[in-house]
Each structure stands twice: as structure tokens, then as C-alpha cells.
Amino acid sequence: MAEQYIVVVAGVIASLLGFVFLYYNSLVRFWGLTKLKRRSALELPKENSEAVGTTDIIIVGAGVAGAALAYSLGKDGRQVLVIERNLNAPNRIAGESLLPGGYLKLIELGLQDCVDEIDAQRILGYILYKDGKNILVSFPLEKFQPHVAGRNFHNDHFVQKLRKKAASLHNVNLEQGTATSLLEENGIVKGVHYKNKSGQMLTAYAPLTIVCDGCFSNLRRSLCYPKVDTPSYTVGVILTNCKLPNENYGALILADPSPILFYPISSTEIRCLVNIPSEIVPSVSNGEMAHFLKTLVAPKVLPELYNSFIFAIEKKDNIRTMPNKIMAAAPHPTPGAILIGDAFNMRHGITGGGMTVALSDVVILRDLLRPLHDLSDASAICKYLESFYTLRKPMSSTINILANVLQKVFSASSNPAMENLQQTFLGYLRLGGVFSYGISAMFSGLCPRPLSLAFHFFSIAIYGVGRLLLPFPSPKRLWDGDKLLWVSIFVETMVSM
Ligand SMILES: Cc1cc2nc3c(=O)[nH]c(=O)nc-3n(C[C@H](O)[C@H](O)[C@H](O)COP(=O)(O)OP(=O)(O)OC[C@H]3O[C@@H](n4cnc5c(N)ncnc54)[C@H](O)[C@@H]3O)c2cc1C
Ligand SMILES: *[C@@H]1O[C@H](CO)[C@@H](O)[C@H](O)[C@H]1NC(C)=O
């Protein structure tokens, strides 16, 4: 009873804060949209003076963002040249889980068939495990058609499908080559220098170059302020001959020292990802990693997966690692070029939101470019495209902030305050109803609203204070400061994104 009361009070306070946010947000949006309209009227569109056959747009990198964008711009009639370093299937442990919100973006782009025929698995939510107890968190999919759900797959199968679809358009030219630098004249990007498959240095020219060369980008330097943080590494292995407790749900085990994630990536394989803080990452090559996984992680794995897990880490060359990079979106608007995808903005991989943000950005950029016939006035286009940064905020901020907060909350530490924080979060999810629904709506990319995120974070903080006061309030319990930690993590993350 008392707990519910606290939650109601939390709701009221959060609503008040919410109103302030809403007011602020709508002002920002309104400002962004009027700016857009005004610019459209003044500077666009002009008649097409480009000769047919010349390149309108160069795309560097045909990963998820680049390939989806190439298809979308090609569909809109642009002459697109895509330069991709390696057209063979990439072998990665990242980008295997597409959230329902990302699937909706695929539909908007006409690319939903790229998850067909790759043995993709439907995902309906996650089960969180902690100390032998579990909580089922479902994506809120009730109001959508039955095919809308998360999709898990091998990243390379998906990317190859996207590339194939882009290359099927006669006006999209997908070329294997490595971009080495941007060609800049008087502060305007005119194209790129690249090395083609036979090692020849070539230059491609276009009025607009879109750089999406991924998390290890070497072209982003002049297009943004690349302040990258690497709080942890993800270690991945593939398990076979085993089944998850619920096949349509991923499983997240909140264990010490590392959260462990399992989800199916085909009808016969389960991906296991272990998140390890950067300070303690063991070396794979000298066998320390296998030892770490065997001694510290294996005992925390679900019993039905144990044998397959041990088999997977003992298999030769099966252990893969990848840095978890975090980079706030901090563009340096440059005429003639724009940056998207991981090259531009990265959040922690733990919530699997990267492809959803990238695809959402592709939709926004495609829609902004659609009414422009002539791209030759680089400075005007650059100014016009500044609204991209406003329009992308709802989706990118919601997913980024949630990912970065949850990676802190989910990494157990010997710090009792952090442990308490984790329990508060799980308790909040256990309340069910609007509480867990709200979190999963944002987590799944179906509710791109930072305001809603703020609402829930404040009510979690207040719920946490309530938990502390029960059953008997005491000043010591109130002042142990843990809840302030929650607020400070939230605020710190919010400010940094
Ligand atoms: C451990 C981990 C797990 C993750 N899990 C998920 C998940 O489950 N779900 C999810 O949605 N997201 C996940 N992500 C994030 C996701 O992988 C990325 O957000 C997504 O792949 C970004 O797409 P992109 O097109 O920007 O980059 P990429 O997909 O990395 O594509 C970049 C492309 O550019 C090419 N390239 C690079 N340099 C050059 C050059 N100089 N010239 C030409 N081509 C070049 C590369 O070959 C590549 O094809 C995870 C990330 C990490 C680190
Ligand atoms: C690379 O460029 C050179 C010079 O234009 C050309 O002769 C060669 O065929 C190209 N190689 C490939 C693989 O396209």
C-alpha cells in the first residue's frame, strides 16, 4: 500500500517535471520545423542542371546505415556511388539484434524483406535473471500487425541482403574500395580519394558525400568532434545444441562481474555476449579470456546452456571481442559532406539500439533530401541539413541515454550503492503495468520520447527512496545517498549525450 502511495507521489512529481520538458521540447521542435519550412521555401528546389550519369551522392561504407541509405536514395532517383572497403560478408559479433522500432524503420524504407530468408528469429522481449529470480519484459507490440517484432540474425546475412537490394537499382553503383580521405577545397567537400580493388588511387566527385564508415571511422575527424569513450568490451561466442527457456525472448543474466546476454541468431545458434569492464579485460590470445569465461562466467550461466557454453569457449578461435564505444553526436557541419551511423554517434551495445538509431537517421535524411532537386549549392544544403540534428533527437536521445544508463546499472560492482540501484530498477520493472511497459516501449525503439525517459527515471528515483523508507523510515535510510546516485547517473548521461 505504502509502496503504491510513493509511486503515485513519484508520478505527480515526475509529471510536473515532464510538463517542463514537454514545453521545452515542443518549443525546440517547433523552432526546428519552422526553420526547415523557411529554408525550403527560400533555397529549394532549383532546376536540375547536372548531366545524367554523373554522381549525385557518394556514400562511404556499406554497413547497415550506408547500404540502407544507398537503396533509399537510389529509389528516389539519385545517381549514387557507394564505396565499400569489403564487399564480402563481414564477420562480426555486433548488430545481430534489431529492435521492433528498427524493424518499423525497415518497413518505412521498403527494406523489410531483408530480414526474410536469412533464418532470422522473432524476438518479443527479454527475461532478466538476478539471483535465481526472473522478470519477463515484453515489447509492447499489441497494437501492431503480427509481423512486427524484434528480429535477430547473423549481421553479415542482413548486411549482404541490404547491399544486394541497393545494388539491384541501376542508378546505384556499389564499388569495392577504401576511402582514404575527403577531397576538400575552400572548406567544401567535393568528393573522396579512394583506393580501388586493384590498389589504384582514384578520386570520385559529387556535390554531397555521406560518410558512414562505422565505429572505427577514419573520415569522421573533420566532420565531428570525435570524443570516444570505451567503458567496456563485449566478448562473444556462438552456442549450438541448446535452447533458451523461452525461444522468443532474449535472456539477460545480471551477474557479477559481468552481465551475460543470450539470444537466438538462427534456428540452431544462440549468441552469448559477455560485457567486461575495460580495466579487467583478459587477453584472448594467451588463453586468459577462456579461463575467465570458464571460471567466473560459466557458473552464472543458465543450467540448460552450461554444457554448450563450455563447449563454445573451448572451441578453437571461437571467442571474439569488440570494444563498446560511446560517442555523443557532436557534428561539425561541413558543406558537401554529412556523417551518419556509428561514425557519427555511438551508444553502449547492451540494449542493441545501434541499428535502430542508424535506420531512423536514414529515414530522416532521406526525407530531408527528397525535395531537393539540385545539390550543387553545398553551403545552402549544409545549412538546410542542420535540421537533421534536431529531427533525429527523439529517437537517438531516448535509445542512447537508456543504453548508457543501463550499462552502468547492469554492471554489478562490489559497490553496495550500485547493487542497490540494480535492485531498485528491477523492483520498478516488477511493479508491472505502466512502469515496465514504459521502460520496454523506450527500450524497443517504439517510444522515441526523451520526455518519457525523464519521467521514468525520476519516478524510479522516487520509488527507490520509497523502497528505502520501508518498512520503517529512518533518517539514516533516507540519507544513504543511493538514490542521489541514480539521479546523478541519469543527469550525467543525459548531459553527455
Ligand atoms: C558489442 C556490440 C554489440 C552490438 N549489438 C547490437 C545489436 O544487437 N543491435 C543493434 O542494433 N546494434 C548493435 N550494435 C551497434 C551496431 O553494430 C551499429 O550501430 C551498426 O552496425 C552501425 O552501422 P554503420 O553502418 O554505421 O556501421 P557498420 O555496420 O560498422 O558499417 C561500416 C561500413 O563501412 C565500411 N568501411 C569502413 N571504413 C571504410 C573506408 N575507409 N572506406 C570504405 N568503407 C569503409 C566497413 O567495411 C563497413 O562495411 C552493437 C555494437 C557493439 C559494439
Ligand atoms: C582500378 O582503377 C584502375 C584505373 O582506373 C582500373 O584500370 C582498374 O580496372 C580498376 N580496378 C578495378 C578492380 O575496378
Side-chain angles (χ1 to χ4, degrees):
M1 205 42 221
E3 203 156 306
Q4 277 164 357
Y5 174 72
I6 298 283
V7 168
V8 170
V9 174
V12 172
I13 297 178
S15 314
L16 282 174
L17 287 163
F19 261 104
V20 177
F21 264 82
L22 182 64
Y23 184 60
Y24 170 77
N25 256 19
S26 52
L27 270 185
V28 169
R29 275 210 83 151
F30 174 71
W31 180 72
L33 289 174
T34 33
K35 206 167 64 167
L36 177 68
K37 279 200 192 116
R38 211 171 36 221
R39 286 202 172 125
S40 314
L42 282 177
E43 292 153 17
L44 328 156
K46 292 176 192 159
E47 74 194 50
N48 190 352
S49 55
E50 292 273 321
V52 181
T54 56
T55 305
D56 294 318
I57 297 176
I58 298 169
I59 295 178
V60 179
V64 175
L69 189 65
Y71 175 77
S72 312
L73 298 178
K75 268 271 164 210
D76 284 351
R78 305 284 184 191
Q79 291 294 331
V80 183
L81 169 65
V82 188
I83 302 168
E84 163 57 48
R85 186 170 49 196
N86 188 355
L87 285 174
N88 298 324
N91 180 8
R92 313 177 46 181
I93 62 170
E96 297 176 323
S97 183
L98 182 66
L99 299 171
Y103 180 75
L104 290 182
K105 295 296 164 189
L106 276 189
I107 297 177
E108 274 191 69
L109 295 168
L111 287 168
Q112 69 273 30
D113 56 348
C114 292
V115 297
D116 295 342
E117 295 153 11
I118 55 171
D119 198 16
Q121 304 295 302
R122 281 167 58 81
I123 295 293
L124 305 176
Y126 277 86
I127 306 180
L128 270 54
Y129 293 83
K130 168 88 183 172
D131 300 332
K133 286 191 274 186
N134 65 61
I135 310 171
L136 185 130
V137 182
S138 293
F139 296 140
L141 298 169
E142 301 79 12
K143 58 179 197 287
F144 296 97
Q145 290 180 348
H147 62 97
V148 177
R151 288 292 193 292
N152 288 10
F153 37 64
H154 280 270
N155 177 269
D156 53 342
H157 297 170
F158 178 57
V159 168
Q160 291 300 69
K161 277 274 214 169
L162 292 172
R163 288 174 178 176
K164 205 168 149 198
K165 198 130 179 201
S168 73
L169 301 175
H170 67 90
N171 47 334
V172 174
N173 178 10
L174 191 57
E175 203 180 309
Q176 182 154 312
T178 302
T180 50
S181 62
L182 297 170
L183 166 65
E184 225 173 306
E185 277 170 21
N186 306 324
I188 299 176
V189 174
K190 304 272 181 168
V192 293
H193 298 294
Y194 70 106
K195 210 184 250 176
N196 78 359
K197 205 175 171 182
S198 17
Q200 286 271 350
M201 277 306 299
L202 302 172
T203 304
Y205 299 87
L208 181 62
T209 299
I210 303 176
V211 176
C212 23
D213 56 350
C215 61
F216 302 106
S217 172
N218 62 14
L219 296 190
R220 69 171 155 232
R221 212 160 293 276
S222 62
L223 304 177
C224 71
Y225 304 94
K227 188 178 166 294
V228 181
D229 188 21
T230 308
S232 61
Y233 280 72
T234 292
V235 185
V237 288
I238 291 179
L239 277 53
T240 49
N241 297 317
C242 58
K243 281 216 160 6
L244 284 168
N246 189 329
E247 285 174 41
N248 291 118
Y249 284 76
L252 176 63
I253 302 168
L254 300 178
D256 191 9
S258 299
I260 314 162
L261 187 60
F262 293 97
Y263 48 70
I265 53 169
S266 74
S267 49
T268 55
E269 295 156 299
I270 291 173
R271 165 64 76 195
C272 170
L273 295 177
V274 183
N275 186 53
I276 306 178
S278 296
E279 311 85 71
I280 61 163
V281 180
S283 148
V284 174
S285 55
N286 67 8
E288 278 173 17
M289 180 65 84
H291 181 74
F292 174 93
L293 293 174
K294 205 165 173 174
T295 52
L296 290 171
V297 178
K300 315 282 169 52
V301 163
L302 299 174
E304 56 265 59
L305 302 177
Y306 183 84
N307 288 339
S308 300
F309 182 79
I310 296 291
F311 183 79
I313 55 182
E314 284 177 349
K315 203 164 135 193
K316 199 170 176 297
D317 300 328
N318 199 31
I319 302 177
R320 306 278 311 275
T321 67
M322 176 110 189
N324 279 307
K325 298 184 177 213
I326 295 180
M327 189 178 81
H332 180 253
T334 307
I338 187 165
L339 196 57
I340 68 162
D342 272 15
F344 172 52
N345 181 205
M346 293 181 277
R347 76 293 317 149
H348 197 279
I350 195 151
T351 60
M355 293 189 292
T356 298
V357 173
L359 292 169
S360 167
D361 283 353
V362 168
V363 171
I364 293 165
L365 192 56
R366 174 201 65 177
D367 291 350
L368 280 173
L369 289 174
R370 192 170 261 170
L372 310 186
H373 290 300
D374 182 359
L375 300 171
S376 60
D377 187 344
S379 302
I381 303 277
C382 179
K383 272 218 175 77
Y384 167 74
L385 287 180
E386 274 177 36
S387 49
F388 170 72
Y389 306 110
T390 313
L391 295 170
R392 72 185 292 278
K393 273 266 163 193
M395 180 68 97
S396 65
S397 300
T398 308
I399 289 193
N400 294 351
I401 295 171
L402 193 61
N404 296 345
V405 169
L406 289 188
Q407 67 97 7
K408 286 183 189 157
V409 174
F410 287 165
S411 356
S413 67
S414 37
N415 178 353
M418 283 307 284
E419 174 64 23
N420 207 324
L421 210 61
Q422 216 180 73
Q423 294 294 356
T424 300
F425 182 72
L426 296 177
Y428 187 81
L429 285 180
R430 268 196 207 94
L431 292 175
V434 56
F435 307 108
S436 67
Y437 189 92
I439 298 285
S440 89
M442 285 176 294
F443 173 84
S444 56
L446 294 171
C447 173
R449 281 199 288 266
L451 163 64
S452 185
L453 196 61
F455 172 93
H456 283 283
F457 281 153
F458 282 110
S459 37
I460 291 171
I462 293 164
Y463 163 77
V465 173
R467 257 183 86 237
L468 273 191
L469 291 175
L470 299 173
F472 304 108
S474 79
K476 187 194 162 294
R477 288 176 138 236
L478 182 60
W479 286 113
D480 77 353
D482 293 359
K483 297 304 127 0
L484 291 179
L485 181 65
W486 172 269
V487 174
S488 75
I489 285 182
F490 170 61
V491 172
E492 183 195 323
T493 310
M494 184 113 173
V495 169
S496 70
M497 283 319 283

PDB file of all heavy atoms in Angstrom, residues 193-207:
ATOM      1  N   HIS A 193      38.965  10.644 -51.992  1.00  0.00           N
ATOM      2  CA  HIS A 193      40.071   9.891 -52.566  1.00  0.00           C
ATOM      3  C   HIS A 193      39.920   8.468 -52.089  1.00  0.00           C
ATOM      4  O   HIS A 193      39.672   8.240 -50.896  1.00  0.00           O
ATOM      5  CB  HIS A 193      41.414  10.449 -52.081  1.00  0.00           C
ATOM      6  CG  HIS A 193      41.650  11.871 -52.496  1.00  0.00           C
ATOM      7  ND1 HIS A 193      41.802  12.243 -53.803  1.00  0.00           N
ATOM      8  CD2 HIS A 193      41.756  13.001 -51.763  1.00  0.00           C
ATOM      9  CE1 HIS A 193      41.998  13.552 -53.863  1.00  0.00           C
ATOM     10  NE2 HIS A 193      41.965  14.035 -52.640  1.00  0.00           N
ATOM     11  N   TYR A 194      40.075   7.511 -52.980  1.00  0.00           N
ATOM     12  CA  TYR A 194      39.978   6.121 -52.533  1.00  0.00           C
ATOM     13  C   TYR A 194      40.853   5.212 -53.381  1.00  0.00           C
ATOM     14  O   TYR A 194      41.295   5.573 -54.476  1.00  0.00           O
ATOM     15  CB  TYR A 194      38.520   5.652 -52.556  1.00  0.00           C
ATOM     16  CG  TYR A 194      37.900   5.480 -53.924  1.00  0.00           C
ATOM     17  CD1 TYR A 194      37.679   4.204 -54.453  1.00  0.00           C
ATOM     18  CD2 TYR A 194      37.512   6.574 -54.700  1.00  0.00           C
ATOM     19  CE1 TYR A 194      37.090   4.033 -55.700  1.00  0.00           C
ATOM     20  CE2 TYR A 194      36.920   6.411 -55.944  1.00  0.00           C
ATOM     21  CZ  TYR A 194      36.716   5.136 -56.438  1.00  0.00           C
ATOM     22  OH  TYR A 194      36.141   4.976 -57.671  1.00  0.00           O
ATOM     23  N   LYS A 195      41.102   4.061 -52.804  1.00  0.00           N
ATOM     24  CA  LYS A 195      41.945   3.060 -53.456  1.00  0.00           C
ATOM     25  C   LYS A 195      41.008   1.976 -53.946  1.00  0.00           C
ATOM     26  O   LYS A 195      40.226   1.434 -53.138  1.00  0.00           O
ATOM     27  CB  LYS A 195      42.890   2.486 -52.387  1.00  0.00           C
ATOM     28  CG  LYS A 195      44.217   2.024 -52.918  1.00  0.00           C
ATOM     29  CD  LYS A 195      45.023   1.392 -51.796  1.00  0.00           C
ATOM     30  CE  LYS A 195      46.213   2.261 -51.404  1.00  0.00           C
ATOM     31  NZ  LYS A 195      46.953   1.729 -50.264  1.00  0.00           N
ATOM     32  N   ASN A 196      41.043   1.663 -55.236  1.00  0.00           N
ATOM     33  CA  ASN A 196      40.098   0.638 -55.686  1.00  0.00           C
ATOM     34  C   ASN A 196      40.647  -0.758 -55.445  1.00  0.00           C
ATOM     35  O   ASN A 196      41.734  -0.934 -54.903  1.00  0.00           O
ATOM     36  CB  ASN A 196      39.638   0.892 -57.132  1.00  0.00           C
ATOM     37  CG  ASN A 196      40.660   0.474 -58.174  1.00  0.00           C
ATOM     38  OD1 ASN A 196      41.748  -0.002 -57.835  1.00  0.00           O
ATOM     39  ND2 ASN A 196      40.291   0.643 -59.431  1.00  0.00           N
ATOM     40  N   LYS A 197      39.901  -1.758 -55.877  1.00  0.00           N
ATOM     41  CA  LYS A 197      40.227  -3.141 -55.546  1.00  0.00           C
ATOM     42  C   LYS A 197      41.624  -3.550 -56.028  1.00  0.00           C
ATOM     43  O   LYS A 197      42.311  -4.325 -55.371  1.00  0.00           O
ATOM     44  CB  LYS A 197      39.166  -4.057 -56.162  1.00  0.00           C
ATOM     45  CG  LYS A 197      39.031  -5.375 -55.439  1.00  0.00           C
ATOM     46  CD  LYS A 197      37.877  -6.184 -56.014  1.00  0.00           C
ATOM     47  CE  LYS A 197      37.866  -7.596 -55.461  1.00  0.00           C
ATOM     48  NZ  LYS A 197      36.779  -8.397 -56.043  1.00  0.00           N
ATOM     49  N   SER A 198      42.045  -2.952 -57.173  1.00  0.00           N
ATOM     50  CA  SER A 198      43.377  -3.322 -57.652  1.00  0.00           C
ATOM     51  C   SER A 198      44.463  -2.401 -57.101  1.00  0.00           C
ATOM     52  O   SER A 198      45.595  -2.397 -57.579  1.00  0.00           O
ATOM     53  CB  SER A 198      43.412  -3.366 -59.180  1.00  0.00           C
ATOM     54  OG  SER A 198      42.351  -2.695 -59.760  1.00  0.00           O
ATOM     55  N   GLY A 199      44.109  -1.592 -56.088  1.00  0.00           N
ATOM     56  CA  GLY A 199      45.128  -0.796 -55.425  1.00  0.00           C
ATOM     57  C   GLY A 199      45.405   0.552 -56.087  1.00  0.00           C
ATOM     58  O   GLY A 199      46.311   1.282 -55.682  1.00  0.00           O
ATOM     59  N   GLN A 200      44.639   0.898 -57.120  1.00  0.00           N
ATOM     60  CA  GLN A 200      44.811   2.192 -57.795  1.00  0.00           C
ATOM     61  C   GLN A 200      44.192   3.313 -56.966  1.00  0.00           C
ATOM     62  O   GLN A 200      43.085   3.163 -56.472  1.00  0.00           O
ATOM     63  CB  GLN A 200      44.065   2.159 -59.143  1.00  0.00           C
ATOM     64  CG  GLN A 200      44.746   1.349 -60.201  1.00  0.00           C
ATOM     65  CD  GLN A 200      45.722   2.212 -60.988  1.00  0.00           C
ATOM     66  OE1 GLN A 200      45.729   3.438 -60.850  1.00  0.00           O
ATOM     67  NE2 GLN A 200      46.539   1.580 -61.811  1.00  0.00           N
ATOM     68  N   MET A 201      44.907   4.438 -56.836  1.00  0.00           N
ATOM     69  CA  MET A 201      44.309   5.592 -56.153  1.00  0.00           C
ATOM     70  C   MET A 201      43.414   6.325 -57.139  1.00  0.00           C
ATOM     71  O   MET A 201      43.834   6.658 -58.248  1.00  0.00           O
ATOM     72  CB  MET A 201      45.400   6.551 -55.667  1.00  0.00           C
ATOM     73  CG  MET A 201      46.032   6.182 -54.337  1.00  0.00           C
ATOM     74  SD  MET A 201      44.881   5.936 -52.960  1.00  0.00           S
ATOM     75  CE  MET A 201      44.101   7.528 -52.822  1.00  0.00           C
ATOM     76  N   LEU A 202      42.179   6.568 -56.737  1.00  0.00           N
ATOM     77  CA  LEU A 202      41.216   7.246 -57.601  1.00  0.00           C
ATOM     78  C   LEU A 202      40.536   8.363 -56.813  1.00  0.00           C
ATOM     79  O   LEU A 202      40.601   8.392 -55.589  1.00  0.00           O
ATOM     80  CB  LEU A 202      40.147   6.266 -58.099  1.00  0.00           C
ATOM     81  CG  LEU A 202      40.610   5.035 -58.878  1.00  0.00           C
ATOM     82  CD1 LEU A 202      39.441   4.095 -59.111  1.00  0.00           C
ATOM     83  CD2 LEU A 202      41.220   5.452 -60.209  1.00  0.00           C
ATOM     84  N   THR A 203      39.870   9.255 -57.535  1.00  0.00           N
ATOM     85  CA  THR A 203      39.090  10.296 -56.867  1.00  0.00           C
ATOM     86  C   THR A 203      37.681  10.287 -57.436  1.00  0.00           C
ATOM     87  O   THR A 203      37.506  10.207 -58.658  1.00  0.00           O
ATOM     88  CB  THR A 203      39.721  11.692 -57.094  1.00  0.00           C
ATOM     89  OG1 THR A 203      41.077  11.641 -56.637  1.00  0.00           O
ATOM     90  CG2 THR A 203      38.978  12.756 -56.320  1.00  0.00           C
ATOM     91  N   ALA A 204      36.703  10.315 -56.562  1.00  0.00           N
ATOM     92  CA  ALA A 204      35.308  10.406 -57.012  1.00  0.00           C
ATOM     93  C   ALA A 204      34.770  11.771 -56.598  1.00  0.00           C
ATOM     94  O   ALA A 204      35.090  12.255 -55.502  1.00  0.00           O
ATOM     95  CB  ALA A 204      34.487   9.292 -56.377  1.00  0.00           C
ATOM     96  N   TYR A 205      33.987  12.380 -57.477  1.00  0.00           N
ATOM     97  CA  TYR A 205      33.441  13.709 -57.198  1.00  0.00           C
ATOM     98  C   TYR A 205      31.922  13.645 -57.091  1.00  0.00           C
ATOM     99  O   TYR A 205      31.267  12.922 -57.841  1.00  0.00           O
ATOM    100  CB  TYR A 205      33.785  14.687 -58.331  1.00  0.00           C
ATOM    101  CG  TYR A 205      35.262  14.874 -58.524  1.00  0.00           C
ATOM    102  CD1 TYR A 205      35.991  14.007 -59.348  1.00  0.00           C
ATOM    103  CD2 TYR A 205      35.944  15.917 -57.889  1.00  0.00           C
ATOM    104  CE1 TYR A 205      37.354  14.175 -59.531  1.00  0.00           C
ATOM    105  CE2 TYR A 205      37.310  16.094 -58.069  1.00  0.00           C
ATOM    106  CZ  TYR A 205      38.005  15.220 -58.887  1.00  0.00           C
ATOM    107  OH  TYR A 205      39.358  15.386 -59.067  1.00  0.00           O
ATOM    108  N   ALA A 206      31.370  14.404 -56.161  1.00  0.00           N
ATOM    109  CA  ALA A 206      29.913  14.531 -56.071  1.00  0.00           C
ATOM    110  C   ALA A 206      29.593  15.761 -55.228  1.00  0.00           C
ATOM    111  O   ALA A 206      30.393  16.158 -54.378  1.00  0.00           O
ATOM    112  CB  ALA A 206      29.305  13.290 -55.427  1.00  0.00           C
ATOM    113  N   PRO A 207      28.423  16.372 -55.457  1.00  0.00           N
ATOM    114  CA  PRO A 207      28.064  17.545 -54.642  1.00  0.00           C
ATOM    115  C   PRO A 207      27.839  17.203 -53.169  1.00  0.00           C
ATOM    116  O   PRO A 207      27.973  18.060 -52.306  1.00  0.00           O
ATOM    117  CB  PRO A 207      26.783  18.073 -55.288  1.00  0.00           C
ATOM    118  CG  PRO A 207      26.297  17.009 -56.210  1.00  0.00           C
ATOM    119  CD  PRO A 207      27.468  16.160 -56.560  1.00  0.00           C
TER     120      PRO A 207
END
